[in-house]
Coordinates of all heavy atoms in Angstrom, one line a residue:
M317 N 114.8 82.5 65.3 CA 113.3 82.6 65.3 C 112.9 83.8 66.1 O 113.5 84.2 67.1 CB 112.7 81.4 65.7 CG 112.9 80.2 64.8 SD 111.9 80.3 63.3 CE 110.2 80.1 63.9
M318 N 111.7 84.3 65.7 CA 111.1 85.4 66.5 C 109.7 85.0 66.9 O 109.0 84.3 66.3 CB 111.0 86.6 65.5 CG 112.2 87.1 64.8 SD 113.3 88.0 65.8 CE 113.0 89.6 65.3
A319 N 109.4 85.6 68.1 CA 108.0 85.4 68.6 C 107.3 86.8 68.6 O 107.9 87.8 69.0 CB 108.0 84.9 70.0
H320 N 106.1 86.8 68.0 CA 105.3 88.0 68.0 C 104.7 88.2 69.3 O 103.9 87.4 69.8 CB 104.3 87.9 66.8 CG 103.7 89.3 66.5 ND1 104.3 90.3 65.8 CD2 102.5 89.8 66.9 CE1 103.6 91.3 65.7 NE2 102.4 91.0 66.3
I321 N 105.0 89.3 70.0 CA 104.5 89.6 71.3 C 103.7 90.9 71.3 O 104.1 91.9 70.7 CB 105.6 89.8 72.3 CG1 106.6 88.6 72.2 CG2 105.1 89.9 73.8 CD1 106.2 87.3 72.7
T322 N 102.5 90.9 71.9 CA 101.7 92.1 72.0 C 101.5 92.5 73.5 O 101.2 91.7 74.3 CB 100.3 91.9 71.3 OG1 100.5 91.5 70.0 CG2 99.5 93.2 71.4
W323 N 101.8 93.8 73.7 CA 101.5 94.4 75.1 C 100.3 95.3 74.9 O 100.2 96.1 74.1 CB 102.7 95.2 75.6 CG 103.9 94.4 75.9 CD1 104.2 94.0 77.2 CD2 105.0 94.1 75.1 NE1 105.5 93.4 77.1 CE2 105.9 93.4 75.8 CE3 105.2 94.2 73.7 CZ2 107.1 92.9 75.3 CZ3 106.4 93.7 73.2 CH2 107.3 93.0 74.0
I324 N 99.3 95.0 75.8 CA 98.1 95.9 75.8 C 98.2 96.8 77.0 O 98.4 96.4 78.2 CB 96.8 95.1 75.9 CG1 96.8 94.2 74.6 CG2 95.6 96.0 75.9 CD1 95.5 93.3 74.6
L325 N 98.2 98.1 76.8 CA 98.4 99.1 77.8 C 97.1 99.4 78.5 O 96.0 99.0 78.0 CB 98.9 100.4 77.2 CG 100.2 100.3 76.3 CD1 100.6 101.7 75.9 CD2 101.3 99.6 77.1
P326 N 97.2 100.0 79.7 CA 95.9 100.2 80.5 C 94.9 101.0 79.8 O 93.7 100.8 80.0 CB 96.4 101.0 81.7 CG 97.9 100.6 81.9 CD 98.4 100.4 80.5
D327 N 95.3 101.9 78.8 CA 94.4 102.6 78.1 C 93.9 101.9 76.8 O 93.2 102.5 76.0 CB 95.0 104.0 77.7 CG 96.1 103.9 76.7 OD1 96.5 102.8 76.3 OD2 96.7 105.0 76.4
G328 N 94.3 100.7 76.6 CA 93.8 99.9 75.5 C 94.7 99.9 74.3 O 94.6 99.1 73.3
R329 N 95.7 100.9 74.3 CA 96.6 100.9 73.2 C 97.5 99.7 73.2 O 97.8 99.1 74.2 CB 97.5 102.2 73.4 CG 98.3 102.6 72.2 CD 98.6 104.1 72.4 NE 99.4 104.4 73.6 CZ 100.7 104.4 73.6 NH1 101.4 104.2 72.5 NH2 101.4 104.7 74.7
Q330 N 97.9 99.2 72.0 CA 98.7 98.0 71.9 C 100.0 98.3 71.2 O 100.2 99.1 70.3 CB 98.0 97.0 70.9 CG 96.6 96.6 71.5 CD 96.0 95.4 70.8 OE1 96.7 94.8 69.9 NE2 94.8 95.1 71.1
I331 N 101.0 97.6 71.8 CA 102.4 97.7 71.2 C 102.8 96.3 70.9 O 102.6 95.4 71.7 CB 103.4 98.4 72.2 CG1 103.0 99.8 72.5 CG2 104.8 98.3 71.6 CD1 103.8 100.5 73.5
A332 N 103.3 96.1 69.7 CA 103.7 94.7 69.3 C 105.1 94.7 68.8 O 105.6 95.7 68.3 CB 102.8 94.2 68.2
A333 N 105.8 93.6 69.0 CA 107.2 93.5 68.6 C 107.5 92.0 68.3 O 106.9 91.1 68.8 CB 108.1 94.0 69.7
D334 N 108.4 91.8 67.3 CA 108.9 90.5 67.1 C 110.2 90.3 67.9 O 111.1 91.1 67.8 CB 109.2 90.3 65.6 CG 107.9 90.3 64.8 OD1 107.0 89.7 65.3 OD2 107.8 90.9 63.7
V335 N 110.1 89.4 68.8 CA 111.2 89.2 69.8 C 112.0 87.9 69.5 O 111.4 86.9 69.3 CB 110.6 89.2 71.2 CG1 111.7 89.0 72.3 CG2 109.7 90.4 71.5
A336 N 113.3 88.1 69.5 CA 114.2 86.9 69.2 C 114.1 85.9 70.3 O 114.0 86.2 71.5 CB 115.6 87.4 69.0
D337 N 114.1 84.6 69.9 CA 114.1 83.5 70.9 C 115.2 83.8 71.9 O 116.3 84.1 71.5 CB 114.3 82.2 70.2 CG 113.1 81.8 69.4 OD1 112.1 82.5 69.4 OD2 113.2 80.7 68.7
G338 N 114.9 83.5 73.2 CA 115.9 83.6 74.2 C 116.0 85.0 74.9 O 116.6 85.1 75.9
V339 N 115.2 86.0 74.4 CA 115.2 87.3 75.0 C 114.1 87.3 76.0 O 113.0 86.9 75.7 CB 115.0 88.4 73.9 CG1 114.8 89.8 74.6 CG2 116.2 88.4 72.9
N340 N 114.4 87.8 77.2 CA 113.3 87.9 78.2 C 112.4 89.1 77.9 O 112.8 90.0 77.3 CB 113.8 87.8 79.6 CG 114.3 89.2 80.1 OD1 113.6 90.2 80.1 ND2 115.6 89.2 80.5
L341 N 111.1 88.9 78.3 CA 110.1 89.9 77.9 C 110.1 91.2 78.6 O 109.4 92.1 78.3 CB 108.7 89.2 77.9 CG 108.6 88.0 77.0 CD1 107.2 87.5 76.9 CD2 109.1 88.3 75.6
M342 N 111.0 91.3 79.7 CA 111.2 92.7 80.2 C 112.2 93.4 79.3 O 111.9 94.6 78.9 CB 111.8 92.5 81.6 CG 112.2 93.9 82.3 SD 113.8 94.5 81.8 CE 114.9 93.4 82.6
N343 N 113.2 92.8 78.9 CA 114.1 93.4 77.9 C 113.4 93.7 76.6 O 113.6 94.8 76.0 CB 115.3 92.5 77.6 CG 116.4 92.6 78.7 OD1 116.6 93.6 79.4 ND2 117.1 91.5 79.0
A344 N 112.6 92.8 76.2 CA 111.8 93.0 74.9 C 110.9 94.3 75.1 O 110.8 95.1 74.1 CB 111.0 91.8 74.6
A345 N 110.3 94.4 76.2 CA 109.4 95.6 76.4 C 110.2 96.9 76.4 O 109.8 97.9 75.9 CB 108.7 95.4 77.8
A346 N 111.4 96.8 77.0 CA 112.3 98.0 77.0 C 112.6 98.4 75.6 O 112.6 99.6 75.2 CB 113.5 97.8 77.9
M347 N 113.0 97.4 74.8 CA 113.4 97.7 73.4 C 112.2 98.2 72.6 O 112.4 99.0 71.7 CB 114.0 96.4 72.8 CG 115.4 96.1 73.3 SD 116.1 94.7 72.4 CE 115.4 93.3 73.3
A348 N 111.0 97.8 72.9 CA 109.8 98.2 72.2 C 109.2 99.5 72.8 O 108.1 99.9 72.4 CB 108.8 97.1 72.2
N349 N 109.9 100.0 73.8 CA 109.4 101.3 74.5 C 108.0 101.1 75.0 O 107.1 102.0 74.9 CB 109.4 102.5 73.5 CG 110.8 102.9 73.2 OD1 111.7 102.9 74.1 ND2 111.1 103.1 71.9
V350 N 107.8 100.0 75.7 CA 106.5 99.8 76.3 C 106.4 100.5 77.7 O 107.2 100.2 78.5 CB 106.2 98.3 76.6 CG1 104.9 98.1 77.3 CG2 106.2 97.5 75.3
P351 N 105.6 101.5 77.8 CA 105.5 102.3 79.1 C 105.0 101.4 80.2 O 104.1 100.5 80.0 CB 104.6 103.4 78.8 CG 103.8 103.1 77.6 CD 104.6 102.0 76.8
G352 N 105.5 101.6 81.4 CA 105.0 100.9 82.6 C 105.7 99.6 82.9 O 105.5 99.0 83.9
I353 N 106.6 99.2 82.0 CA 107.5 98.0 82.3 C 108.9 98.6 82.6 O 109.6 99.0 81.6 CB 107.5 97.0 81.2 CG1 106.1 96.7 80.7 CG2 108.3 95.8 81.6 CD1 105.6 95.4 81.1
I354 N 109.3 98.6 83.8 CA 110.5 99.4 84.1 C 111.7 98.5 84.1 O 112.8 98.8 83.5 CB 110.4 100.0 85.5 CG1 109.0 100.7 85.7 CG2 111.5 101.0 85.8 CD1 108.7 101.9 84.9
G355 N 111.7 97.4 84.8 CA 112.8 96.5 84.8 C 114.0 97.0 85.5 O 115.2 96.9 85.1
E356 N 113.8 97.7 86.7 CA 114.8 98.4 87.4 C 116.0 97.5 87.8 O 117.1 98.0 87.7 CB 114.1 98.9 88.7 CG 114.6 100.2 89.3 CD 113.7 100.7 90.3 OE1 113.7 100.1 91.4 OE2 112.9 101.6 90.0
C357 N 115.8 96.3 88.1 CA 116.9 95.5 88.6 C 117.6 94.8 87.4 O 118.6 94.0 87.6 CB 116.4 94.4 89.6 SG 115.5 93.0 88.9
G358 N 117.2 95.0 86.2 CA 117.9 94.4 85.1 C 117.5 92.9 84.8 O 118.2 92.3 84.1
G359 N 116.5 92.5 85.5 CA 116.1 91.1 85.3 C 116.6 90.1 86.3 O 116.5 88.9 86.1
C360 N 117.1 90.6 87.5 CA 117.6 89.6 88.4 C 116.6 89.3 89.6 O 117.0 88.9 90.7 CB 119.0 90.1 89.0 SG 118.9 91.6 89.9
L361 N 115.3 89.6 89.3 CA 114.3 89.2 90.3 C 114.4 89.9 91.6 O 114.1 89.3 92.6 CB 114.4 87.7 90.5 CG 113.4 86.8 89.7 CD1 113.5 85.3 90.2 CD2 112.0 87.3 89.8
S362 N 114.7 91.2 91.6 CA 114.7 91.9 92.9 C 113.9 93.2 92.9 O 114.0 93.9 93.8 CB 116.1 92.1 93.3 OG 116.8 92.9 92.4
C363 N 113.1 93.4 91.8 CA 112.4 94.7 91.8 C 110.9 94.6 91.6 O 110.2 95.5 92.0 CB 113.0 95.7 90.7 SG 112.6 95.2 89.0
A364 N 110.5 93.6 90.9 CA 109.0 93.5 90.5 C 108.5 94.6 89.7 O 107.2 94.8 89.6 CB 108.2 93.3 91.8
T365 N 109.3 95.4 89.1 CA 108.8 96.5 88.2 C 108.6 96.1 86.8 O 108.3 96.9 85.9 CB 109.7 97.7 88.2 OG1 111.0 97.4 87.6 CG2 109.9 98.3 89.6
C366 N 108.7 94.8 86.5 CA 108.4 94.2 85.2 C 107.2 93.4 85.2 O 106.9 92.6 84.3 CB 109.6 93.4 84.8 SG 109.9 92.0 85.9
H367 N 106.3 93.7 86.2 CA 105.0 93.0 86.4 C 104.1 93.1 85.2 O 103.9 94.2 84.6 CB 104.4 93.6 87.6 CG 103.1 93.0 88.0 ND1 102.1 93.7 88.7 CD2 102.5 91.7 87.8 CE1 101.1 92.9 88.9 NE2 101.3 91.7 88.4
V368 N 103.6 92.0 84.7 CA 102.5 91.9 83.7 C 101.4 91.0 84.1 O 101.6 90.1 84.9 CB 103.1 91.5 82.3 CG1 104.1 92.5 81.7 CG2 103.8 90.1 82.4
Y369 N 100.3 91.1 83.4 CA 99.2 90.1 83.5 C 99.2 89.4 82.2 O 99.1 90.0 81.1 CB 97.9 90.8 83.7 CG 97.7 91.6 85.0 CD1 97.4 93.0 84.9 CD2 98.0 91.1 86.2 CE1 97.2 93.8 86.0 CE2 97.9 91.9 87.4 CZ 97.5 93.2 87.3 OH 97.4 94.0 88.4
V370 N 99.4 88.1 82.3 CA 99.4 87.2 81.1 C 97.9 87.1 80.6 O 97.1 86.8 81.4 CB 100.0 85.9 81.3 CG1 99.9 85.0 80.1 CG2 101.5 86.0 81.8
D371 N 97.7 87.3 79.3 CA 96.4 87.1 78.8 C 95.9 85.7 79.1 O 96.6 84.7 79.0 CB 96.4 87.3 77.3 CG 95.0 87.5 76.7 OD1 94.4 88.6 76.9 OD2 94.4 86.5 76.1
E372 N 94.6 85.6 79.4 CA 94.0 84.3 79.8 C 94.3 83.2 78.9 O 94.6 82.1 79.3 CB 92.5 84.5 80.0 CG 91.8 83.6 80.9 CD 90.4 83.9 81.1 OE1 89.9 85.0 80.8 OE2 89.6 83.0 81.5
A373 N 94.2 83.4 77.6 CA 94.5 82.4 76.6 C 95.9 81.8 76.7 O 96.1 80.8 76.1 CB 94.1 82.9 75.2
W374 N 96.8 82.5 77.3 CA 98.2 82.2 77.3 C 98.8 81.7 78.6 O 99.9 81.3 78.7 CB 99.0 83.4 76.8 CG 98.8 83.6 75.3 CD1 97.9 84.4 74.7 CD2 99.5 83.0 74.3 NE1 98.0 84.3 73.4 CE2 99.0 83.4 73.1 CE3 100.6 82.1 74.2 CZ2 99.5 83.0 71.8 CZ3 101.1 81.7 73.0 CH2 100.5 82.2 71.8
Q375 N 97.9 81.7 79.6 CA 98.5 81.3 80.9 C 99.1 80.0 81.0 O 100.1 79.8 81.7 CB 97.4 81.5 82.0 CG 97.1 83.0 82.3 CD 96.0 83.2 83.3 OE1 95.9 82.4 84.2 NE2 95.3 84.3 83.1
E376 N 98.5 79.0 80.3 CA 99.0 77.7 80.4 C 100.4 77.6 79.7 O 101.3 76.9 80.3 CB 98.1 76.7 79.6 CG 98.0 75.3 80.1 CD 96.8 74.6 79.6 OE1 95.7 75.0 79.9 OE2 97.0 73.7 78.8
K377 N 100.6 78.3 78.7 CA 101.9 78.3 78.0 C 103.0 79.0 78.7 O 104.2 78.6 78.7 CB 101.8 78.9 76.6 CG 100.9 78.0 75.6 CD 101.5 78.0 74.2 CE 101.0 76.8 73.4 NZ 99.9 77.3 72.5
T378 N 102.7 80.1 79.4 CA 103.7 80.8 80.1 C 104.0 80.1 81.4 O 105.1 80.3 82.0 CB 103.3 82.3 80.4 OG1 102.1 82.3 81.0 CG2 103.3 83.1 79.1
G379 N 103.1 79.4 82.0 CA 103.3 78.7 83.2 C 103.1 79.6 84.4 O 102.7 80.7 84.3
E380 N 103.4 79.0 85.6 CA 103.2 79.8 86.8 C 104.5 80.2 87.4 O 105.6 79.6 87.2 CB 102.5 78.9 87.8 CG 101.0 78.7 87.5 CD 100.3 77.9 88.6 OE1 100.9 77.7 89.6 OE2 99.1 77.6 88.3
A381 N 104.4 81.3 88.2 CA 105.6 81.8 88.9 C 105.9 80.8 90.0 O 105.0 80.3 90.7 CB 105.3 83.2 89.5
D382 N 107.2 80.6 90.3 CA 107.5 79.8 91.4 C 108.7 80.4 92.2 O 109.3 81.4 91.7 CB 107.8 78.3 91.1 CG 108.9 78.2 90.0 OD1 109.6 79.2 89.8 OD2 109.1 77.2 89.4
G383 N 109.0 79.9 93.4 CA 110.1 80.4 94.1 C 110.2 81.9 94.3 O 109.3 82.5 94.8
T384 N 111.3 82.4 94.0 CA 111.6 83.8 94.2 C 110.6 84.7 93.5 O 110.2 85.7 94.0 CB 113.0 84.2 93.8 OG1 113.9 83.3 94.4 CG2 113.4 85.6 94.2
E385 N 110.3 84.3 92.2 CA 109.3 85.1 91.5 C 108.0 85.2 92.2 O 107.4 86.3 92.3 CB 109.1 84.6 90.1 CG 108.2 85.4 89.2 CD 107.9 84.8 87.9 OE1 108.5 83.8 87.5 OE2 107.0 85.4 87.2
D386 N 107.6 84.1 92.7 CA 106.3 84.0 93.4 C 106.3 84.9 94.6 O 105.4 85.7 94.9 CB 106.1 82.5 93.8 CG 104.7 82.4 94.6 OD1 103.7 82.9 94.1 OD2 104.7 81.7 95.6
A387 N 107.4 84.9 95.3 CA 107.5 85.8 96.5 C 107.6 87.3 96.1 O 106.9 88.1 96.7 CB 108.8 85.4 97.3
M388 N 108.3 87.6 95.0 CA 108.4 89.0 94.5 C 107.1 89.5 94.0 O 106.8 90.7 94.1 CB 109.5 89.1 93.4 CG 110.9 89.0 93.9 SD 111.3 90.2 95.1 CE 111.2 91.7 94.2
L389 N 106.2 88.6 93.6 CA 104.9 89.1 93.0 C 104.1 89.6 94.1 O 103.1 90.3 93.9 CB 104.2 87.9 92.3 CG 104.7 87.7 90.9 CD1 104.1 86.4 90.3 CD2 104.2 88.9 90.0
D390 N 104.4 89.4 95.4 CA 103.7 90.0 96.5 C 104.1 91.4 96.7 O 103.5 92.1 97.5 CB 103.8 89.2 97.8 CG 103.1 87.8 97.7 OD1 102.1 87.8 96.9 OD2 103.5 86.9 98.3
A391 N 105.1 91.9 96.0 CA 105.7 93.2 96.2 C 105.4 94.1 95.0 O 106.1 95.2 94.8 CB 107.2 93.1 96.5
T392 N 104.5 93.8 94.1 CA 104.2 94.6 92.9 C 103.4 95.8 93.3 O 102.7 95.8 94.3 CB 103.5 93.8 91.9 OG1 102.3 93.3 92.5 CG2 104.3 92.7 91.3
D393 N 103.5 96.9 92.5 CA 102.7 98.1 92.8 C 101.2 97.8 92.5 O 100.4 98.1 93.3 CB 103.2 99.2 91.8 CG 104.4 100.0 92.4 OD1 104.7 99.7 93.6 OD2 105.0 100.7 91.7
A394 N 101.0 97.3 91.3 CA 99.6 96.9 91.0 C 99.2 95.6 91.7 O 100.1 94.8 92.0 CB 99.4 96.8 89.5
P395 N 97.9 95.4 91.9 CA 97.5 94.2 92.6 C 97.9 93.0 91.9 O 97.8 92.9 90.7 CB 95.9 94.4 92.6 CG 95.6 95.8 92.3 CD 96.8 96.3 91.6
R396 N 98.2 92.0 92.7 CA 98.6 90.7 92.1 C 97.3 89.9 91.7 O 96.3 90.0 92.4 CB 99.3 89.8 93.1 CG 99.7 88.5 92.6 CD 100.5 87.7 93.6 NE 100.9 86.4 93.0 CZ 101.8 85.6 93.5 NH1 102.4 85.9 94.7 NH2 102.2 84.5 92.9
R397 N 97.4 89.3 90.5 CA 96.2 88.5 90.1 C 96.8 87.1 89.8 O 98.0 86.9 89.8 CB 95.6 89.0 88.8 CG 95.1 90.4 88.9 CD 94.5 90.9 87.6 NE 94.1 92.3 87.6 CZ 93.9 93.0 86.5 NH1 94.0 92.5 85.3 NH2 93.5 94.3 86.7
D398 N 95.9 86.1 89.5 CA 96.3 84.8 89.2 C 97.2 84.8 87.9 O 98.0 84.0 87.7 CB 95.1 83.9 88.9 CG 94.3 83.5 90.2 OD1 94.9 83.7 91.3 OD2 93.2 83.1 90.1
S399 N 96.9 85.8 87.1 CA 97.7 85.9 85.8 C 99.0 86.7 85.9 O 99.7 86.9 84.9 CB 96.8 86.6 84.8 OG 96.4 87.9 85.2
S400 N 99.3 87.1 87.1 CA 100.5 87.9 87.3 C 101.8 87.1 87.1 O 102.0 86.0 87.5 CB 100.6 88.5 88.7 OG 99.6 89.5 88.9
R401 N 102.7 87.7 86.3 CA 104.1 87.2 86.2 C 105.1 88.4 86.2 O 104.7 89.5 85.9 CB 104.2 86.4 84.9 CG 103.5 85.1 84.8 CD 104.1 84.0 85.7 NE 105.5 83.8 85.6 CZ 106.1 83.0 84.7 NH1 105.4 82.3 83.9 NH2 107.4 82.9 84.7
L402 N 106.3 88.1 86.5 CA 107.4 89.1 86.3 C 108.0 88.8 84.9 O 108.5 87.7 84.6 CB 108.4 88.9 87.4 CG 107.9 89.3 88.8 CD1 109.0 89.2 89.8 CD2 107.3 90.7 88.8
S403 N 107.9 89.8 84.0 CA 108.2 89.5 82.6 C 109.6 89.2 82.3 O 110.0 88.6 81.3 CB 107.6 90.5 81.7 OG 108.1 91.8 82.0
C404 N 110.5 89.5 83.3 CA 111.9 89.2 83.0 C 112.1 87.7 83.2 O 113.2 87.2 82.8 CB 112.8 89.9 84.0 SG 112.7 89.5 85.7
Q405 N 111.1 87.0 83.7 CA 111.2 85.5 83.9 C 110.5 84.8 82.8 O 110.4 83.6 82.8 CB 110.7 85.1 85.2 CG 111.4 85.8 86.4 CD 112.9 85.6 86.4 OE1 113.3 84.4 86.4 NE2 113.7 86.6 86.3
I406 N 110.0 85.5 81.8 CA 109.3 84.8 80.6 C 110.3 85.1 79.4 O 110.6 86.2 79.1 CB 108.0 85.5 80.3 CG1 107.1 85.4 81.6 CG2 107.3 84.7 79.2 CD1 105.7 86.1 81.4
V407 N 110.7 84.0 78.8 CA 111.6 84.1 77.7 C 111.0 83.7 76.4 O 110.2 82.7 76.3 CB 112.8 83.1 78.0 CG1 113.8 83.1 76.8 CG2 113.5 83.6 79.3
A408 N 111.2 84.6 75.4 CA 110.6 84.4 74.1 C 111.1 83.0 73.5 O 112.2 82.7 73.7 CB 110.9 85.5 73.2
G409 N 110.2 82.4 72.8 CA 110.5 81.1 72.1 C 109.3 80.8 71.3 O 108.2 81.4 71.3
P410 N 109.4 79.7 70.5 CA 108.4 79.4 69.5 C 107.0 79.1 70.2 O 106.0 79.5 69.6 CB 108.9 78.1 68.9 CG 110.4 78.0 69.2 CD 110.6 78.9 70.4
A411 N 107.0 78.6 71.4 CA 105.7 78.3 72.0 C 105.0 79.6 72.4 O 103.8 79.5 72.7 CB 106.0 77.5 73.3
L412 N 105.7 80.7 72.4 CA 105.0 81.9 72.9 C 104.8 82.9 71.7 O 104.4 84.1 71.9 CB 105.9 82.7 73.9 CG 106.1 81.9 75.2 CD1 106.8 82.7 76.3 CD2 104.7 81.4 75.8
D413 N 104.9 82.4 70.5 CA 104.6 83.2 69.3 C 103.1 83.6 69.3 O 102.2 82.7 69.3 CB 104.9 82.5 68.0 CG 104.8 83.3 66.8 OD1 105.0 84.6 66.9 OD2 104.5 82.8 65.7
G414 N 102.8 84.9 69.4 CA 101.4 85.4 69.5 C 101.0 85.8 70.9 O 99.9 86.3 71.1
L415 N 101.9 85.6 71.8 CA 101.6 85.9 73.2 C 101.1 87.4 73.4 O 101.6 88.3 72.8 CB 102.9 85.7 74.1 CG 102.8 86.1 75.6 CD1 101.9 85.2 76.3 CD2 104.2 86.1 76.2
V416 N 100.1 87.5 74.3 CA 99.5 88.8 74.7 C 99.7 89.0 76.2 O 99.3 88.2 77.0 CB 98.0 88.8 74.3 CG1 97.4 90.2 74.7 CG2 97.8 88.6 72.8
L417 N 100.3 90.2 76.5 CA 100.5 90.6 77.9 C 99.8 91.9 78.1 O 99.7 92.8 77.3 CB 102.0 90.8 78.1 CG 102.9 89.6 77.9 CD1 104.4 90.0 78.1 CD2 102.6 88.5 78.9
H418 N 99.2 92.0 79.3 CA 98.5 93.2 79.7 C 99.4 94.0 80.7 O 99.9 93.4 81.7 CB 97.2 92.9 80.4 CG 96.3 92.2 79.4 ND1 95.3 92.8 78.7 CD2 96.2 90.9 79.1 CE1 94.7 91.9 77.9 NE2 95.2 90.7 78.2
V419 N 99.6 95.2 80.5 CA 100.5 96.0 81.4 C 99.6 96.6 82.5 O 98.5 97.2 82.2 CB 101.1 97.2 80.6 CG1 102.0 98.1 81.5 CG2 102.0 96.7 79.4
P420 N 100.0 96.4 83.7 CA 99.1 96.9 84.9 C 99.0 98.4 84.8 O 99.9 99.1 84.4 CB 99.9 96.4 86.1 CG 100.8 95.3 85.7 CD 101.2 95.7 84.2
G421 N 97.8 98.9 85.2 CA 97.6 100.3 85.2 C 98.0 101.0 86.5 O 98.5 100.3 87.4
Ligands
LIG620 FE1 113.4 93.3 88.2 FE2 112.0 91.6 86.6 S1 113.2 93.2 86.1 S2 112.2 91.6 88.8

């Protein structure tokens, strides 16, 4: 199965991709050439360069950061918000079909 994911860039431009279940959304952003999502550490929770803001309508479904992710979110370049997540920790699946993420400016 695929989940349709949309990234909204700081300038309002949108990039969308169909992402296979089980793929984390940092890797998905890299495959879709989304600028601003770097994923320097490869998804092992040590860089915070995969920071995104989850669209308000989706925050319940993506859930909250906990543990190491929560701590790493204090080290992002762009300001942390309530909607902040590290996208390598969000995994595509049926519940996230239609998800909208905002790329920090
Ligand atoms: Fe490094 Fe997500 S890719 S923390």
Side-chain angles (χ1 to χ4, degrees):
M317 290 289 291
M318 308 282 258
H320 191 75
I321 311 290
T322 301
W323 290 265
I324 300 179
L325 305 184
D327 65 3
R329 199 155 57 91
Q330 300 192 6
I331 297 176
D334 291 318
V335 180
D337 289 357
V339 174
N340 80 57
L341 298 186
M342 177 279 288
N343 280 328
M347 286 186 275
N349 292 316
V350 177
I353 311 258
I354 315 292
E356 212 165 76
C357 75
C360 66
L361 263 187
S362 61
C363 73
T365 63
C366 61
H367 181 205
V368 292
Y369 300 125
V370 175
D371 194 77
E372 206 175 338
W374 287 91
Q375 284 178 33
E376 212 164 294
K377 290 220 166 99
T378 53
E380 286 187 8
D382 55 16
T384 308
E385 182 185 351
D386 183 45
M388 285 302 294
L389 277 168
D390 289 332
T392 54
D393 278 348
R396 179 176 185 168
R397 299 180 189 163
D398 287 345
S399 59
S400 287
R401 289 293 310 271
L402 294 180
S403 55
C404 67
Q405 302 303 304
I406 305 174
V407 174
L412 297 185
D413 188 28
L415 174 67
V416 178
L417 300 173
H418 300 265
V419 179

